[in-house]
Each structure stands twice: as C-alpha cells, then as structure tokens.
Amino acid sequence: MKLYSFNRRRIFIVFLCMLGAGLFLTGRLAYLMIYQSEHYTMLADSLHERERSIKAPRGRIYDRNGNILADNRAVCSISVIHSQIEDEEEVISALLTYLDTDEEKVRTKVTKNSSREIIAVNVEKSLADEIRELNISGIKVDEDYKRYYPYGSLASKVLGFTGADNQGIVGLEVSYDDVLSGTDGSINAVTDAKGIELVEFSESRVNPIPGKDLVTSIDLNIQRYATQAALKVMEEKNANRVCIIIMNPQNGEVYAMVDVPEYDLNNPFELNYEANVTEDNQMDLLNNMWRNFNISDTYEPGSTCKIVTLTSALESGAVTKENTFYCPGYKMIEDRRIRCHKTTGHGSETLVEALMNSCNPAFMEIGERTGAETLYEYYGKLGLFEKTGIDLPGEGSSIMHKLEDIGPVELATMSFGQSFQITPIQFITAISTVINGGNKITPHIGIRFIDSESQESNVLEYPVINNAIKESTSNTVREMLESVVSEGSGSKAALPGYRIGGKTATSEKLPRGTGLYISSFIGFAPADNPQVIGIILIDEPEGVYYGGTIAAPVIRDIFSNILPYLGIEAEEIPETDTEQ
Amino acid sequence: MGIKKDYDNTGITSENRAADMAADRERAVKAGRLDYPFVAFVLLIVFVGLVMVYSTSAYRGMELFGDSAYFAKRQLVFAVSAIIIAYFVSKADYRVIAKYSKLILIISMVLLILVYIIGTASHGSARWLYIGPFGFQPSECAKVALIIYTAAACTAHTKSLNSVKGIVKIMLLPIVAIILIAIENLSTAIICFAIVFIILFISSPKTWYFIVLALIGVAGCGLFIAFAGYRADRIRIWLAPEKYPDGYQTMQSLYAIGSGGIFGRGLGNSIQKMGFIPESHNDMIFSVICEELGIFGAVCIIGLFVALIKRCTVIAMNAGDRLGGLLVSGVMAHIAVQLIINISVVTNTIPPTGVTLPFISYGGSSIVFILIEMGLVLSVARRMKPAG
C-alpha cells in the first residue's frame, strides 16, 4: 500500500511545525542566554559565591617619636558552617576541648541551621592553628587582628580600646575609627550547593585596605613621667584621682594627658578596683572607669581662674597694672560678707601683688569693675562657653550662669573662679591662649596619618584664631604669672634656672562644707616664651589640701624632667639671682 | 501466529488484504544499505549525550559512589547495548514486526499494569520494573509499541480514516494504553498522545477533524490556566518560579541557562551541576549543556536534532510503503515532541514536567527504546525508494 502525496505533504507540514517550535525555542534560549544572561549570571554567581571577608589590619597609633602605643596582634576567629558539618558531636567536643565556652551555647550554635555561626573571636593564633590542624569539616578558622597596647594602662583614657569587631569603643580609637579601621577585603570563593568551596574555580579576591597609622602628639616619656608623678601624689594624698595635662601652648599639641587611676587597655572590661559588680551596675562602673575626667568632667576652677578675670580686666581696660587694691580680709557684696582666704586681710596691694596673694576681695573688685558682660565677652573669646574641639570623644560642656542671671554675688564669686564649672581641657586651652600671645588654639592629639603602604602622610589641621586677645595683654599676664611662681603663692613650682609662670587653686567641692577639695595648679615655662603648659588637678586630697603646697610641686617635678628633655635648657644664672 | 489470523484480528476485509499484499509485492524492494547520514547523526547525538552525562554526573557519582565516571560508565554500557539492539532491529523487516503490532501493544500494556502492582517507586511515582540490576520503564516501551500499532492500524484501515467513528476505533487501544501511562506519568502520556495524533493526522485525508481537535486542546489548556491555573502548583511555578520554594528546580535551570552566555563556562565547568540542579544528568541535562557550552553549543545540539528529524522526514516521505512512512513519521514525532517539551521545560516556556532529552539524558530504558526506534527507521530506510 502506498503513501499518498497528501500523506507526504502532511509529513512535511509536521516537520515544518516542529521546526517552527524549534526555532521559537532557539529564540527563547537566545533571549535567556544573551539578553538575560547578565541577570541570570549575577543571580547564579551570588548563589555560588560565598564571601569571606579578609580583615583589614587596623592602623597603629604612634607617639610623637614613633613609639607604638597601639598595635595589632594576629589572632583568629572560630566559626562553624552548618552545611559542612559531618559529625555534630565531634565538632562540639572539639570546640569544648579547645575553647573556654559554655557547652549549651556551643551546642545551640552548632546545631542551628544557619550559614555561619561565630563561636569565638580573638583566639590566640597558636591555639587556632591547633584547631585548624584537627581538620574537622564544618569548623572554620579565620585570621583576624586584635588590638594590643604594649604599654598596658599608659594613656588609657586617651587611647581608648576596641571591641570584638575591632571597632573603636572609647578614646582615640573612636575619634579616628574611620581612618584607623581601613576597609575589609573579601574572598569570593565558588562553592557547590552544600557550600563547600570548589578549588578548581579561581577565587576573586578584593584585597583589604589597611587602616592608616595615626601619629599622635603624645610623648611616651612625658606621658610616663606625668603618670608616675600623678600616681605618686595620688598615693601620698590618698586622693580620688589626679589629672594632668601637659601641652604645647603654642599649637595645642598634647604631650601627656593623665587621669589616674588608669585602666588596663588589654583588659578593658576588668574593673581596676574591687567593687560589688552586679549585672545592672557593671556597665555604669566600666563607663566611669573609662571616663576621661580631663575632657568629660567639669569642676570649679577656683583661683586659677583669676587669670581669666585678670585678662578680661586688663584687655578691656577696666584695670591697669598700676591700680592698687585694699583687702581688709573680706568684701561686702550686697548684704553678704565674702571673706578672703587670709582672714586678717592683705592690706594695700598692687595688681601683681593681688594675683600673687590670690586675694579674693581684690579680684571681686576687679570683677566688679570689669562687669559681667565684659567678663563674658572674654570668657567667650577664651572659649569657655564652647567645647574645645579636641579630637577625643565625649567632651563635656561648661556650666555657666545665664548673663541676665548674674547679680553682684554671682559676679563676685565668678571673679575668683567659683559658681561656674568648666572642664580641665577648656581651662588649659583658655590659659594657653592667654599666655601664647593671644592666639586661640585647638588642643589636639592626632598629628598626622601615615598610609602604611605608600608611607604618604596627611597632616591634620586644627583651627586657630589669631589675636583672640591682644599680645600686650598676654605679655603682661605672663609676667605677672611668673611673679606668682617666683615670689607668690606658686613658689613651690619654682625651678632654678627656669622662668616659670603659674597659678594655684584650691576649690572646695560642691556641696560646700564637706571638707572635700580639688587642689590644682596650672604652670608654664619658659615664662617669656611658653613652650609647655601643664595643669594638675588633685581630687579630694587628704591632709594638706592647698594647691600651692601639694599641686605646684608636682608640676615643678614634671617640668624639671621634661624641660631639658624638650631641649629647653636651664639658664645659667647665679644662685643669688634666683633667690630674688 | 499466522499472517492471516493477524490480519483478521485487525479487522481488515479480504479484498483490502489482497490489494495490500499485491501492492506490497509490487513495491517490495530488497533490503538495501544502511542510511549513513542518519546513522551519523544518531551516533553523534549519542556521543554528545555520553560526554554530557559524564560531565553532569561526575559530581553526583563522586558523591554517591566515589566514582566520577559511575553514571557515564553505566550509560556507555546502555548506549553500546542499545546500538547493537538497534542494528539487529534495522536488519529485521519492519513489515514483519508490524504484523505483531497488536501483540506488542498488549504486552506493553500488561507491563504498564504490572508496574502498578510490583513496580518500584522513583520520585514518588511507580514507573520502574527491575530485571536484575537494571531498571526498566514500561512507559518507554509503550511509546515504541504505540508508534508501531498506530502506524500498522492506519495502514490496514485506510478507509476508517475517513470517518470519526473509524478514527475513534483505531484510537481505542492506544487511548487505553495512554490512560494507563497517564495515571503515573502525565508528560509521557502527552507525548504518546501527540505521537498517535500526528500519525493519524498524517494518514487521514480529513484535515478539519484534527484542526478542531487541536483547537479544542489549545482552548482547553487556555481555559484551565485562566480559571483554575492559580490552583495548580505547576502553573503557579511556571508563572513565577522565583516566588515559590518549589520553583527551585526551574530557577536553578534558568540560572544555568542564563549564565551560559554565548560560549558557556566551558565543557565540564558547570557550577549548577554541583548539587544546585538535582540530578542534572537526567531531565535538566539541557540546562547544563547551555551553561557549559553556551548558546553556541545549545544551537549546535538543536541543529543536530533538526538534521536527524529532517533525515527522518526524508526517509518517511520516500518510504517504500505506507507502513514505513507512518512508522518513521511516528518516530520523528516522538523525537521532536519530546525534544521540544524538554527544552520548553528547562527554559520555563511551559509548566515544569519531567521529560528526558532523547538520546542525551541518563537512563537505560530511554536510550534503548529510542535506539530501537532508530533501528526501525533504518529498517524502513533500507527499503526506501531510490529517489530522495
């Protein structure tokens, strides 16, 4: 029986239909594989690739002479990858053998069906290598860096420390976190459906960009010396705390910033004293321990602030060097009798003598002549209303009367440094402006960044306001402050062969009448061209608490060591001259 | 069983039988040579299939049996055996085979029933019979049986093809077989129906019957999708595979195809076969081909199939007799329909269903029976009219 021609035609029609379908599908393939290729390739790649981050090493922190203050140590992080675990019990027991963790926690993480669970971070490299050598599938060991502070607690409140992810938590580590932390790189490895890396496919690698190194103005030796001096006086006077700032008054570079007791940067979560720690108060206690009094806390500056009153009065012309004052041992302000520390009175005194005597009635008089408005104008020029802008986190603000609330009593107390509060850093910055020729500087610690690869460095710039006060006023105040040390209440800061200026203070802590004081001294040298300024605060000293007696000698000791170190030589002056 | 009895069974009249036999004698040609172009296409596709089975199954073979060539070796044994079987089939006279068409269909239907009684489940459906270590899918056998039966019936009952009643009569037994298949494997049933439909369309002088039937089918599918589609999982997956967890396979397939680009990742470099596409050496093998060889390789393979189907068309149109022509048409329909459905599924052009890529997907029964069909085509080709 034959095949009719219509049968043949139909066979051909069927073929054509099939060919049509085939062409349509080829078109569909072309659409998927050419037009949509990028889309699906991207989706597929993201399905296949497992990203592992490569930690960027954090930038080091150096002191001004190249000593490393904060370094990195290679450590490892241990994690488990659920899909790769073959024997959960083996993994759990291995982790428990090598790591000091809770079984319950480890078990939860190992049995949890997630792509990756971190078991431990900051594991010593040698221990991590041992774990790696066990070669248990499902356990992943990744290299990481841990911050290491070679000098332990030195400058702890300035440097700060980092957390588990190497992020800054307090101090410079926070303020320069962006620059120090760098950018993590990544390895994109191709994996199969179980997440096992396929070695035959090349990994795409994005190299980490290491964080930049930070060179600070801190001088390791000055910081050390100041810390020792602070600890010594804290112990002698059984004080709460002792703060010292040593700074260059010309440009605001901080050589040392001490706030003892300091804490161990390598164990920042351990309290540096015995305390009844509960879960509720733990964070508060730690925060308190980490707190940098120098910049975060305010105090009544007391007599040292007479420098500010004096500067305002001289600058505004309210008083001149030639004016004389009379101190009967008190001054009546409205119906109140405000006493001088010398109850018998200083009698008649010149302006310089009033400063040397730290005479309260004389300064109440000066304040009265200057007036609250003018006084505030100069407070403003010296930066007492605003934060200094120091490159440390958590700077506190001053506490001041509102101008319209200042009556005669407030004005009188303000004139000798009471009834308002400022931070130590605000104060040393204001006094630097007074003595450096009148330029308002920004105190700072960071000096420059160094790119660890190219060695390129970026110098940091800080705002300076030139001639915030007149240079002549600055010169006058400087001379007068030199007299305070050479002949007046600051005589214990005098150092043979050096011209030192300074002012003492003893402020009773609030609330009054508790017998608790802050003794302080601010001093600078050389008096005619100040290169270094230092402030010390002794919080709640026991026994003798006069600033001139206990605070001034500390600065003298520090200066006697650091002035030669900074290349400021003692003048060869005969003994007899210095006696005067 | 004698020839006469067989003819009686198919219900043919004696005049017709006499006329047929006369025509047969008239056209009887001596068994000629192998059709070399056809053999070349088949062997090339089988070879590509072996390479791709090795590439796609290496990962799974390693994982399950610690031998990357585990599946490839088995497939090689199947392919070589299938080629040998096909050679013997090509030597046989298809006209003699056709005389036993009803018996062949009935045996395959018995096997289909048997699979529901003693069959082994795979992927949740009972589709396998085991003879020793070798699994066997009766549905693959049924495709061949249906081609032979329908072609033989359309040759024997030429007159029936003029009426609806006659066509229904011819379709009766095939429809029962298709229903048996459809219980567990809808997609194979659709392929079988398409084969039967195409053979009838080619042999019947009536056009409108088939056009109406096709239109009804298309409209039915359209209505189903429009009104009940959202209820059917497969339609839901088809429309938005990325939204559903069970669209996973479809998405994996699209990832593979899409990431192939123009020239692909290179032979052996598929990542999707690394456990992302489940059993990538089976139904989804084409997506891995796309991933590894790109659209270039995919078009080459489609081109090979087109060449093979075109050769089938030529052989069918020049077959020595009506039976041969319809047989080869049935085989052509089988290859083409299965290929189109497979590629449509992996490209998410139609709702997902499990259909193997002929010659290429891993599997003993599918390659053995498709090569038996090739043997039949060669048997017809040996007795072709001389002119192309």
Side-chain angles (χ1 to χ4, degrees):
Chain A
M1 200 175 164
K2 68 171 205 168
L3 203 58
Y4 301 110
S5 62
F6 84 84
N7 295 131
R8 289 206 192 88
R9 204 161 54 238
R10 294 239 172 132
I11 292 172
F12 199 67
I13 288 170
V14 169
F15 171 73
L16 287 181
C17 290
M18 299 302 179
L19 193 65
L23 285 175
F24 171 75
L25 287 176
T26 306
R28 168 90 178 139
L29 279 174
Y31 169 74
L32 289 174
M33 299 176 75
I34 296 170
Y35 184 71
Q36 293 265 62
S37 176
E38 211 170 303
H39 171 68
Y40 283 115
T41 306
M42 202 186 71
L43 286 174
D45 285 349
S46 67
L47 181 73
H48 303 148
E49 283 177 357
R50 290 290 154 91
E51 190 183 272
R52 272 190 292 131
S53 76
I54 317 171
K55 289 281 166 64
R58 195 172 170 84
R60 293 190 180 91
I61 301 178
Y62 291 99
D63 88 333
R64 63 188 304 114
N65 299 314
N67 298 299
I68 297 174
L69 300 178
D71 204 348
N72 301 308
R73 210 169 38 185
V75 289
C76 294
S77 66
I78 313 284
S79 46
V80 286
I81 294 174
H82 189 81
S83 59
Q84 294 177 12
I85 293 175
E86 282 167 7
D87 181 351
E88 285 185 353
E89 289 309 314
E90 185 190 14
V91 170
I92 293 170
S93 76
L95 291 174
L96 287 174
T97 316
Y98 285 90
L99 300 172
D100 180 30
T101 51
D102 185 44
E103 171 160 3
E104 206 49 45
K105 254 189 206 163
V106 171
R107 186 169 294 278
T108 319
K109 285 179 175 174
V110 170
T111 50
K112 190 174 170 191
N113 192 2
S114 68
S115 63
R116 188 192 194 98
E117 285 288 319
I118 292 172
I119 303 288
V121 292
N122 295 334
V123 177
E124 289 301 324
K125 200 170 181 302
S126 55
L127 184 65
D129 285 341
E130 281 178 50
I131 297 174
R132 205 201 309 261
E133 274 158 30
L134 294 176
N135 216 0
I136 297 173
S137 53
I139 300 182
K140 197 106 193 138
V141 177
D142 284 310
E143 306 264 318
D144 198 351
Y145 295 97
K146 183 178 164 39
R147 215 46 166 167
Y148 173 66
Y149 302 90
Y151 300 100
S153 64
L154 192 77
S156 62
K157 308 206 175 172
V158 177
L159 295 174
F161 58 93
T162 60
D165 294 330
N166 276 337
Q167 82 285 19
I169 291 187
V170 288
L172 287 175
E173 298 277 24
V174 170
S175 41
Y176 291 106
D177 199 35
D178 288 350
V179 187
L180 289 169
S181 56
T183 310
D184 284 351
S186 61
I187 296 178
N188 282 319
V190 178
T191 68
D192 67 7
K194 285 183 182 168
I196 295 170
E197 285 174 21
L198 301 168
V199 280
E200 60 266 40
F201 292 91
S202 59
E203 318 175 306
S204 67
R205 189 187 164 101
V206 179
N207 280 325
I209 303 167
K212 288 184 179 170
D213 293 337
L214 173 69
V215 177
T216 64
S217 60
I218 298 292
D219 186 304
L220 179 63
N221 293 317
I222 298 176
Q223 178 76 31
R224 267 179 169 162
Y225 196 81
T227 307
Q228 281 163 15
L231 282 170
K232 189 166 158 253
V233 70
M234 183 173 77
E235 202 175 304
E236 279 169 9
K237 303 307 297 179
N238 201 13
N240 254 355
R241 67 164 79 220
V242 176
C243 294
I244 295 174
I245 303 172
I246 307 290
M247 192 167 100
N248 181 336
Q250 302 293 342
N251 58 15
E253 287 179 5
V254 175
Y255 293 131
M257 186 180 278
V258 179
D259 176 9
V260 288
E262 307 258 357
Y263 60 93
D264 184 2
L265 288 172
N266 294 318
N267 278 307
F269 290 90
E270 221 163 78
L271 282 179
N272 55 5
Y273 56 94
E274 294 289 321
N276 188 14
V277 183
T278 65
E279 234 166 75
D280 292 332
N281 70 1
Q282 187 190 22
M283 227 36 238
D284 289 342
L285 294 178
L286 285 173
N287 276 323
N288 242 348
M289 179 177 82
W290 299 332
R291 196 177 172 92
N292 186 349
F293 190 98
N294 288 303
I295 60 159
S296 302
D297 288 277
T298 56
Y299 75 115
E300 277 188 315
S303 301
T304 47
C305 208
K306 284 170 183 159
I307 304 170
V308 175
T309 312
L310 177 68
T311 306
S312 314
L314 286 171
E315 181 85 348
S316 63
V319 295
T320 65
K321 230 177 150 182
E322 285 69 41
N323 288 118
T324 55
F325 301 88
Y326 182 77
C327 166
Y330 63 89
K331 183 171 166 64
M332 291 301 294
I333 303 291
E334 292 187 319
D335 55 345
R336 291 174 65 172
R337 184 188 173 106
I338 301 178
R339 292 194 305 161
C340 187
H341 58 91
K342 189 177 180 184
T343 45
T344 52
H346 289 106
S348 180
E349 51 192 351
T350 63
L351 185 63
V352 181
E353 282 164 346
L355 185 68
M356 280 158 50
N357 295 332
S358 194
C359 177
N360 286 350
F363 271 86
M364 287 186 255
E365 175 69 28
I366 295 167
E368 207 175 273
R369 288 194 204 170
T370 310
E373 215 161 305
T374 313
L375 199 59
Y376 262 27
E377 186 192 332
Y378 288 97
Y379 275 17
K381 286 189 175 176
L382 296 176
L384 295 182
F385 292 116
E386 59 196 21
K387 294 179 181 179
T388 62
I390 189 170
D391 48 350
L392 282 174
E395 192 181 354
S397 302
S398 52
I399 303 166
M400 295 282 186
H401 295 294
K402 278 187 194 153
L403 183 59
E404 59 268 31
D405 294 344
I406 300 175
V409 178
E410 284 78 18
L411 179 60
T413 51
M414 279 166 59
S415 303
F416 53 88
Q418 286 184 8
S419 82
F420 68 95
Q421 297 194 23
I422 53 177
T423 63
I425 192 71
Q426 266 181 325
F427 188 57
I428 195 174
T429 307
I431 303 307
S432 295
T433 306
V434 171
I435 61 161
N436 71 6
N439 304 321
K440 189 172 164 235
I441 44 103
T442 304
H444 59 269
I445 293 163
I447 290 184
R448 62 179 192 275
F449 300 128
I450 299 176
D451 189 305
S452 54
E453 278 166 1
S454 65
Q455 297 302 319
E456 244 172 74
S457 74
N458 305 37
V459 177
L460 293 160
E461 304 241 356
Y462 297 90
V464 175
I465 298 170
N466 287 321
N467 302 315
I469 60 163
K470 289 199 275 285
E471 198 174 348
S472 57
T473 312
S474 175
N475 291 339
T476 311
V477 176
R478 223 157 49 201
E479 274 169 38
M480 291 169 79
L481 288 170
E482 190 181 359
S483 315
V484 173
V485 172
S486 57
E487 302 164 52
S489 56
S491 60
K492 289 230 158 59
L495 199 59
Y498 287 103
R499 298 178 63 181
I500 292 176
K503 183 76 193 76
T504 65
T506 311
S507 7
E508 192 175 7
K509 286 180 85 171
L510 294 169
R512 308 265 187 237
T514 52
L516 300 174
Y517 293 88
I518 292 179
S519 304
S520 64
F521 179 79
I522 188 159
F524 57 92
D528 54 340
N529 176 25
Q531 295 304 307
V532 58
I533 184 168
I535 187 172
I536 178 170
L537 273 72
I538 305 171
D539 185 25
E540 299 183 13
E542 286 177 4
V544 181
Y545 53 80
Y546 295 112
T549 316
I550 63 168
V554 181
I555 291 292
R556 181 195 58 209
D557 281 350
I558 294 171
F559 278 7
S560 74
N561 276 277
I562 68 171
L563 291 176
Y565 172 78
L566 289 171
I568 303 162
E569 297 299 331
E571 288 165 43
E572 303 252 343
I573 299 166
E575 281 290 295
T576 47
D577 285 2
T578 50
E579 289 287 314
Q580 286 178 348
Chain B
M1 202 186 289
I3 295 165
K4 188 180 167 114
K5 196 179 173 212
D6 187 42
Y7 264 126
D8 287 350
N9 280 349
T10 53
I12 215 157
T13 61
S14 55
E15 294 110 285
N16 277 342
R17 187 186 61 194
D20 282 357
M21 291 178 81
D24 282 354
R25 265 195 301 278
E26 188 188 319
R27 291 184 193 283
V29 228
K30 259 176 110 185
R33 298 173 60 186
L34 276 179
D35 187 277
Y36 289 116
F38 185 81
V39 171
F41 295 143
V42 170
L43 290 181
L44 211 51
I45 294 176
V46 169
F47 174 73
V48 168
L50 284 171
V51 171
M52 288 320 297
V53 163
Y54 177 58
S55 172
T56 50
S57 69
Y59 173 83
R60 196 169 159 76
M62 201 65 202
E63 192 181 63
L64 293 179
F65 304 102
D67 177 7
S68 61
Y70 176 84
F71 291 102
K73 282 182 197 160
R74 281 173 67 98
Q75 185 72 356
L76 182 66
V77 171
F78 294 141
V80 170
S81 324
I83 289 167
I84 293 167
I85 295 168
Y87 178 75
F88 284 113
V89 173
S90 79
K91 284 284 197 188
D93 188 338
Y94 62 95
R95 293 168 299 188
V96 177
I97 295 172
K99 281 169 190 160
Y100 300 102
S101 65
K102 196 168 189 178
L103 182 65
I104 293 169
L105 184 59
I106 287 169
I107 290 171
S108 75
M109 283 164 75
V110 170
L111 290 173
L112 281 171
I113 294 165
L114 216 54
V115 89
Y116 296 125
I117 303 166
I118 59 161
T120 308
S122 161
H123 305 266
S125 305
R127 291 178 185 176
W128 295 79
L129 283 177
Y130 274 89
I131 305 162
F134 293 106
F136 164 75
Q137 272 183 295
S139 59
E140 294 294 332
C141 172
K143 286 179 200 164
V144 185
L146 280 169
I147 292 170
I148 298 172
Y149 178 84
T150 314
C154 290
T155 308
H157 309 270
T158 332
K159 291 231 173 81
S160 307
L161 293 165
N162 286 317
S163 67
V164 175
K165 202 180 154 196
I167 291 171
V168 168
K169 212 173 156 191
I170 290 171
M171 284 178 75
L172 210 59
L173 210 50
I175 289 294
V176 174
I178 288 168
I179 288 169
L180 280 176
I181 296 167
I183 296 170
E184 279 295 351
N185 191 345
L186 186 67
S187 47
T188 304
I190 290 168
I191 293 168
C192 290
F193 183 80
I195 294 168
V196 172
F197 179 86
I198 288 169
I199 295 174
L200 282 166
F201 168 73
I202 288 170
S203 45
S204 167
K206 300 287 177 192
T207 309
W208 286 108
Y209 293 175
F210 297 93
I211 291 178
V212 167
L213 194 58
L215 284 178
I216 289 171
V218 169
C221 287
L223 286 174
F224 179 75
I225 291 166
F227 293 105
Y230 62 92
R231 265 185 254 155
D233 284 346
R234 285 173 192 243
I235 306 288
R236 184 172 51 88
I237 293 166
W238 173 49
L239 293 173
E242 68 281 358
K243 283 192 192 156
Y244 304 101
D246 43 7
Y248 175 83
Q249 281 208 37
T250 304
M251 281 318 289
Q252 294 304 327
S253 173
L254 288 176
Y255 289 162
I257 294 170
S259 58
I262 309 263
F263 292 107
R265 291 186 195 269
L267 187 62
N269 290 340
S270 161
I271 301 168
Q272 285 295 91
K273 69 187 183 189
M274 305 286 184
F276 292 101
I277 297 177
E279 303 201 14
S280 52
H281 50 296
N282 278 351
D283 301 348
M284 293 287 189
I285 197 165
F286 192 75
S287 52
V288 177
I289 292 175
C290 290
E291 188 187 1
E292 294 195 346
L293 307 178
I295 191 157
F296 177 78
V299 167
C300 284
I301 287 169
I302 292 173
L304 268 178
F305 274 102
V306 170
L308 181 72
I309 291 164
K310 178 78 207 317
R311 192 66 205 159
C312 283
T313 312
V314 171
I315 294 170
M317 288 167 75
N318 297 293
D321 56 10
R322 187 178 172 79
L323 176 67
L326 293 181
L327 263 180
V328 177
S329 301
V331 172
M332 176 193 87
H334 175 202
I335 301 169
V337 168
Q338 199 166 326
L339 176 77
I340 287 165
I341 292 182
N342 181 277
I343 296 178
S344 300
V345 169
V346 297
T347 55
N348 198 34
T349 312
I350 61 168
T353 182
V355 169
T356 57
L357 186 62
F359 301 103
I360 292 181
S361 287
Y362 174 80
S365 344
S366 75
I367 196 161
V368 166
F369 286 103
I370 201 116
L371 278 171
I372 286 173
E373 290 176 30
M374 297 307 107
L376 281 175
V377 174
L378 286 171
S379 171
V380 174
R382 283 180 196 276
R383 292 161 181 86
M384 233 174 20
K385 283 189 295 185

